[in-house]
């Protein structure tokens, strides 16, 4: 039955993804079930999306109640849910105004437009360049792909959008060298996710904030992956004692319901006037109800604290594995956004985890990316570490034998 369905999938669905060879039918907390009834521990959370786990009762309740009342009316009207969602987002962040959309790429696309428009209104033509980072990831639309600093995603899609200047991550001298009268913004992920879980240094972010502030160059944080509790704070910028001017969100914002947002300071967001930017579905009552439920649950149930604590626990366990296994090169990350860099290929190890009933991700060929739901418990992390230990042993043995020879 499962195999037949997968055959159909390859016949009818665009082959843009390498998928796990299972049809997932059900989720609960940190666990998933496939069509054959096999259970998996989810250390991916739908790529940092289901931060409250699967089938959380608060989200189900608010979404279904809202579905019974009103799906959509367009942004030509006000709706209670969207107002509540925007109020929550601004109350708990630096931002004053929110624009809702439907995905991460759409949020970044909007942020790019907003930065250009802000600068154009204040300084006129020509000040439109955005400094972005090498090894970054900002999305798959033409503009966000252009902003992305990894050539492998761009092959065959030229011509791309002009006006992006790529610099090495964590280098303040590269910023100084490349910032000029044409620069309107600097855009970066506080932790590069797709790129392999590389964390921005504190001194770097502080210096970056200083330079950008002095020149009225906007600082855009792409928190699509790092936001909503993932890194052990509600937003990753809060680790750095600074505030960006614009922040983009999506992934976990609706705990799995597709919704994105641009959050900005009032003066910045005011560069968008009626008619300058729009999204038909953006923040519709269904989407907004999931944002409200996600936010309230995060705060009421201490989920961000758990992310911080369990992140620390997971990292401690991984560091002791690193001592045992020489092919573990580095453990990186914050909260429950963790990268395990290997000196060997990660793909086979990912398959071993899958065969043992644990879902993880591998990025850039050799970096295991761990993104469990933020409600994860100690016992579930212990289970993961036990399995990891068992799998890693398979890969260490040949090396030990080589040494003996
Ligand atoms: C996932 C991601 C995006 C793209 O989001 P989509 O919803 O897939 O368009 C952009 N930036 C970062 C940092 C991401 O992790």
């Amino acid at each position: 039955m499962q195999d037949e369905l997968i055959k159909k999938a390859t016949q009818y669905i665009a082959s843009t993804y390498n998928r796990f060879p299972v049809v997932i039918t059900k989720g609960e907390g940190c666990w998933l079930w496939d069509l054959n009834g096999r259970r998996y521990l989810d250390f991916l959370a739908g790529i940092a999306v289901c931060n409250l786990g699967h089938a959380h009762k608060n989200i189900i309740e608010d979404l279904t109640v809202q579905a019974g009342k009103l799906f959509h009316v367009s942004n030509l009207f006000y709706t209670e849910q969207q107002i509540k969602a925007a109020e929550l987002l601004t109350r708990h962040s630096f931002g004053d105004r929110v624009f809702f959309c439907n995905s991460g790429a759409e949020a970044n696309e909007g942020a790019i437009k907003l930065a250009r428009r802000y600068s154009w209104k204040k300084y006129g033509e020509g000040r439109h360049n955005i400094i972005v980072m090498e090894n970054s990831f900002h999305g798959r639309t033409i503009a966000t792909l252009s902003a992305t600093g990894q050539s492998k995603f761009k092959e065959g899609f030229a011509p791309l959008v002009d006006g992006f200047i790529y610099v090495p991550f964590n280098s303040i001298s590269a910023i100084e060298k490349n910032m000029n009268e044409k620069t309107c913004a600097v855009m970066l992920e506080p932790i590069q996710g797709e790129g392999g879980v590389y964390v921005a240094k504190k001194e770097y972010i502080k210096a970056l904030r200083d330079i950008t502030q002095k020149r009225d160059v906007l600082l855009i944080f792409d928190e699509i992956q790092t936001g909503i509790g993932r890194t052990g704070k509600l937003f990753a910028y809060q680790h750095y004692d600074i505030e960006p001017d614009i922040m983009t969100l999506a992934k976990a914002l609706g705990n799995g319901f597709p919704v994105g947002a641009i959050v900005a300071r009032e003066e910045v967001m005011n560069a968008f006037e009626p008619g300058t930017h729009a999204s038909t579905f953006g923040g519709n009552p269904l989407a907004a109800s999931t944002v409200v439920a996600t936010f309230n649950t995060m705060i009421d149930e201490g989920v961000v604290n758990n992310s911080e604590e369990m992140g620390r626990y997971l990292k401690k366990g991984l560091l002791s594995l690193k001592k045992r296994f020489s092919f573990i090169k580095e453990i990186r990350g914050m909260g429950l956004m963790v990268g395990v860099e290997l000196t060997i290929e990660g793909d086979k190890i990912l398959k071993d985890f899958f065969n043992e009933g644990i879902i993880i991700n591998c990025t850039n060929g050799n970096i295991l990316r761990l993104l469990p739901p933020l409600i994860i418990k100690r016992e579930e992390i212990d289970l993961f570490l036990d399995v990891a230990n068992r799998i890693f042993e398979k890969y260490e043995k040949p090396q030990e034998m080589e040494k003996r020879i």
Side-chain angles (χ1 to χ4, degrees):
M1 175 78 166
Q2 183 156 275
D3 292 344
E4 259 167 56
L5 266 181
I6 291 172
K7 226 173 111 194
K8 244 191 193 174
T10 56
Q11 188 180 349
Y12 295 121
I13 301 174
S15 57
T16 51
Y17 284 91
N18 284 317
R19 297 174 200 257
F20 288 100
V22 280
V23 178
I24 298 295
T25 55
K26 195 178 90 166
E28 199 183 306
C30 298
W31 296 85
L32 292 169
W33 281 263
D34 72 14
L35 200 59
N36 293 340
R38 194 167 178 234
R39 192 172 83 138
Y40 302 86
L41 178 60
D42 185 6
F43 259 59
L44 180 58
I47 320 183
V49 168
C50 304
N51 282 7
L52 299 172
H54 302 281
H56 195 291
K57 63 176 187 347
N58 297 2
I59 314 286
I60 296 173
E61 194 179 310
D62 284 19
L63 179 64
T64 49
V65 166
Q66 187 55 49
K69 287 197 219 162
L70 182 69
F71 271 43
H72 179 88
V73 281
S74 88
N75 285 308
L76 300 176
F77 299 88
Y78 297 106
T79 64
E80 290 172 334
Q81 293 302 320
Q82 190 180 113
I83 297 164
K84 264 193 218 163
E87 190 182 9
L88 275 170
L89 269 171
T90 56
R91 195 191 302 151
H92 293 284
S93 78
F94 71 92
D96 307 306
R97 299 277 190 277
V98 184
F99 175 89
F100 286 104
C101 56
N102 308 286
S103 72
E106 194 188 351
N108 282 340
E109 189 90 18
I112 291 163
K113 283 178 71 181
L114 180 61
R116 283 190 176 177
R117 175 112 186 148
Y118 169 87
S119 186
W120 174 80
K121 281 180 83 172
K122 227 166 148 178
Y123 303 98
E125 300 277 344
R127 193 178 182 272
H128 56 243
N129 283 348
I130 299 180
I131 296 178
V132 292
M133 302 298 140
E134 290 170 6
N135 198 44
S136 59
F137 182 82
H138 296 297
R140 303 285 194 158
T141 62
I142 285 286
T144 59
L145 191 61
S146 307
T148 291
Q150 298 187 66
S151 50
K152 69 176 180 210
F153 295 121
K154 303 186 186 184
E155 222 174 77
F157 297 117
L160 296 179
V161 176
D162 259 355
F164 295 100
I165 314 291
Y166 312 91
V167 301
F169 191 51
N170 270 326
S171 163
I172 204 67
S173 63
I175 296 279
E176 282 164 347
K177 221 181 293 163
N178 286 282
M179 195 177 283
N180 56 37
E181 67 293 342
K182 288 188 176 158
T183 312
C184 71
V186 176
M187 175 154 119
L188 79 167
E189 304 151 88
I191 303 179
Q192 293 187 330
E194 292 299 317
V197 193
Y198 291 95
V199 182
K201 293 201 174 82
K202 196 156 185 179
E203 320 83 77
Y204 173 67
I205 294 294
K206 289 215 154 186
L208 184 57
R209 178 68 285 188
D210 271 356
I211 299 177
T212 48
Q213 206 143 35
K214 272 185 200 130
R215 300 200 188 201
D216 196 17
V217 163
L218 298 179
L219 184 57
I220 307 173
F221 268 34
D222 177 346
E223 292 234 27
I224 288 162
Q225 192 163 148
T226 55
I228 324 297
R230 176 52 59 188
T231 68
K233 299 231 187 244
L234 197 46
F235 304 108
Y237 78 82
Q238 294 165 331
H239 288 286
Y240 295 92
D241 300 323
I242 60 102
E243 291 179 348
D245 302 295
I246 300 174
M247 164 171 78
T248 52
L249 300 170
K251 290 202 162 88
L253 185 58
N255 206 54
F257 199 93
V259 56
I262 308 170
V263 178
R265 290 197 289 112
E266 179 183 0
E267 184 204 3
V268 176
M269 194 65 96
N270 285 346
F272 277 163
E273 301 140 54
T276 51
H277 194 58
S279 175
T280 298
F281 291 131
N284 85 7
L286 277 190
S289 75
T290 65
V291 176
V292 174
T294 301
F295 247 82
N296 285 335
T297 305
M298 279 268 153
I299 290 153
D300 295 347
E301 298 185 2
V303 178
V304 182
N305 261 345
N306 195 63
S307 166
E308 202 268 334
E309 260 173 54
M310 290 302 106
R312 204 186 301 225
Y313 186 67
L314 173 61
K315 248 199 214 161
K316 203 176 114 198
L318 288 168
L319 283 169
S320 71
L321 289 180
K322 180 173 178 285
K323 281 190 197 132
R324 290 197 58 197
F325 300 108
S326 60
F327 60 82
I328 301 180
K329 192 175 164 198
E330 192 174 41
I331 313 288
R332 297 189 289 265
M334 280 183 181
L336 286 169
M337 181 168 181
V338 177
V340 181
E341 182 167 351
L342 309 175
T343 56
I344 58 175
E345 284 291 307
D347 241 27
K348 255 182 84 187
I349 290 183
L350 177 131
K351 287 201 177 89
D352 290 334
F353 272 99
F354 173 74
N355 291 333
E356 295 272 355
I358 298 184
I359 306 293
I360 63 167
N361 177 253
C362 175
T363 178
N364 260 352
N366 66 325
I367 299 157
L368 306 181
R369 184 170 45 157
L370 309 177
L371 301 162
L374 309 184
I375 54 159
I376 196 152
K377 296 189 199 80
R378 206 170 276 259
E379 304 87 81
E380 289 158 337
I381 292 180
D382 287 338
L383 176 63
F384 168 84
L385 291 168
D386 271 357
V387 171
N389 188 44
R390 186 149 24 98
I391 290 170
F392 290 166
E393 266 172 355
K394 281 200 327 202
Y395 292 86
E396 192 73 292
K397 272 180 192 143
Q399 282 192 6
E400 279 173 8
M401 272 161 58
E402 262 167 48
K403 268 183 231 155
R404 259 177 257 140
I405 294 163

